[in-house]
Amino acid sequence: MSSLKVECVVKADAQIGEGPVWEESEQTLLFVDISGRKVHRWSPTTNQIQSVETGDMVGFAVPRRSGGYMAGVGRSIVAVDWSTQKMTPLVEVDEDKPNNRLNDGKVDPTGRLLAGTMGKEARPAVVSKHQGSLFSVTSDLTVTKHLSQVDISNGMDWSLDQRTFYYIDSLALTVDAFDYDPNTGGIGNRRVLYHMEEGEGLPDGMTVDTEGRLWVACYNGGRVIHIDPATGVRLQTVSLPVMKTTSCCFGGPDYSDLYVTSASLGLDQSERRQQPLAGGTFRVTGLGIKGRPSNSFSG
């Protein structure tokens, strides 16, 4: 493991960098700054970053098969036209909970979007408990609620055979699994795969590699942990020079680079001095493991 290298590649100083997605067609990294209210697109080739302002907190952005992106802005799922920077609201969730906002979102292998909500933070990491939900949105914009009473709806991904859905409710301090029906999007038989250990922080964003194993970013833990879902064993820990690691995805030309986003919001002056790269996006190379291409929303 001596070839492992961690470097800060995007010094965007995000307040809450989140939701990285590698875009195969553009060879770019898409990610959001939740409270900075921006969607960013960064090219490793040119090191240029392009941004679109969202006007409200943005929990995620994912590619759309018909072009552009779908993003979770406030409580609305919106279509983003990158060329015109125009946002078109499509559906709203949690209408009965005006203090909620969308958080993490990801597209399943059939093109269905799963997205979750949480109560807005009174201050960083202080949220109203049990306010959130988990929804799915199909190509015809049918919304289905799968879970309620969620604290902070977060990381999600699917097993290689699409039959297991991995999910994180951060304040529960666990990584959970559900049986998944890729035809209907139905979930059931919830069980705990992994319980966070002392010092690992809160489980946040997550991705699955080509071996079907999980990589979980640990908020306030300064690390990404590699978990075998078959045994619930932590296989590896990758340390980062920032504490508020938020999410991760594989990318690069052959998906062998692990990109990790981070947050700077809530750090005091002394913490900022100790973590000058907080809010940056990092690239981890030399893992010897590859990830899978992201899925695009089918609508």
Side-chain angles (χ1 to χ4, degrees):
M1 297 309 299
S2 58
S3 59
L4 194 71
K5 182 180 169 193
V6 177
E7 57 182 325
C8 184
V9 288
V10 190
K11 298 182 173 70
D13 189 27
Q15 291 181 35
I16 308 176
E18 256 287 7
V21 179
W22 181 257
E23 294 190 88
E24 174 76 38
S25 57
E26 309 283 330
Q27 291 289 297
T28 49
L29 186 74
L30 183 75
F31 65 102
V32 301
D33 181 350
I34 296 179
S35 50
R37 304 183 171 196
K38 285 185 176 128
V39 180
H40 294 300
R41 202 164 75 177
W42 172 74
S43 162
T45 318
T46 63
N47 198 29
Q48 296 299 113
I49 190 163
Q50 301 172 304
S51 308
V52 167
E53 304 224 359
T54 55
D56 198 349
M57 286 191 168
V58 52
F60 64 87
V62 293
R64 190 179 184 186
R65 279 182 205 164
S66 57
Y69 304 102
M70 300 285 279
V73 178
R75 287 182 294 105
S76 296
I77 306 227
V78 306
V80 181
D81 182 326
W82 194 266
S83 54
T84 62
Q85 304 214 338
K86 186 165 180 269
M87 314 236 161
T88 308
L90 301 175
V91 291
E92 195 168 285
V93 296
D94 278 353
E95 292 95 333
D96 56 332
K97 293 179 178 167
N99 284 330
N100 276 15
R101 67 165 179 84
L102 282 152
N103 198 37
D104 212 347
K106 197 168 271 190
V107 179
D108 83 356
T110 67
R112 185 186 289 111
L113 171 67
L114 274 82
T117 56
M118 58 179 279
K120 285 185 183 165
E121 297 170 293
R123 56 183 191 276
V126 179
V127 300
S128 308
K129 289 195 164 192
H130 311 315
Q131 292 297 304
S133 303
L134 177 71
F135 301 91
S136 63
V137 185
T138 52
S139 55
D140 64 359
L141 302 180
T142 300
V143 178
T144 306
K145 184 188 282 196
H146 297 279
L147 296 174
S148 55
Q149 299 278 302
V150 174
D151 292 333
I152 302 179
S153 185
N154 240 324
M156 51 188 106
D157 210 337
W158 289 265
S159 60
L160 303 184
D161 67 0
Q162 303 177 30
R163 293 287 172 185
T164 305
F165 171 57
Y166 303 115
Y167 178 69
I168 288 168
D169 179 356
S170 292
L171 298 189
L173 298 178
T174 58
V175 180
D176 293 354
F178 291 85
D179 294 344
Y180 193 73
D181 184 336
N183 299 313
T184 65
I187 64 173
N189 185 27
R190 185 175 194 164
R191 62 256 184 210
V192 172
L193 278 186
Y194 183 82
H195 202 288
M196 303 298 280
E197 295 180 7
E198 188 70 34
E200 286 185 336
L202 301 177
D204 201 332
M206 152 170 67
T207 192
V208 170
D209 62 28
T210 53
E211 294 171 359
R213 291 173 175 154
L214 314 184
W215 295 80
V216 179
C218 305
Y219 186 84
N220 283 339
R223 70 195 71 184
V224 175
I225 55 175
H226 183 200
I227 299 166
D228 182 351
T231 59
V233 170
R234 185 185 66 239
L235 304 170
Q236 187 182 354
T237 299
V238 177
S239 296
L240 286 101
V242 293
M243 286 305 287
K244 295 181 183 292
T245 36
T246 54
S247 190
C248 56
C249 76
F250 283 93
D254 62 354
Y255 289 92
S256 62
D257 300 336
L258 183 70
Y259 285 98
V260 185
T261 48
S262 74
S264 60
L265 192 71
L267 295 176
D268 64 29
Q269 284 183 317
S270 104
E271 288 169 327
R272 279 178 176 270
R273 279 195 299 274
Q274 289 160 3
Q275 304 172 49
L277 298 174
T281 299
F282 298 82
R283 180 169 58 204
V284 182
T285 51
L287 286 167
I289 290 168
K290 293 184 179 180
R292 307 177 294 172
S294 61
N295 305 309
S296 296
F297 179 68
S298 56

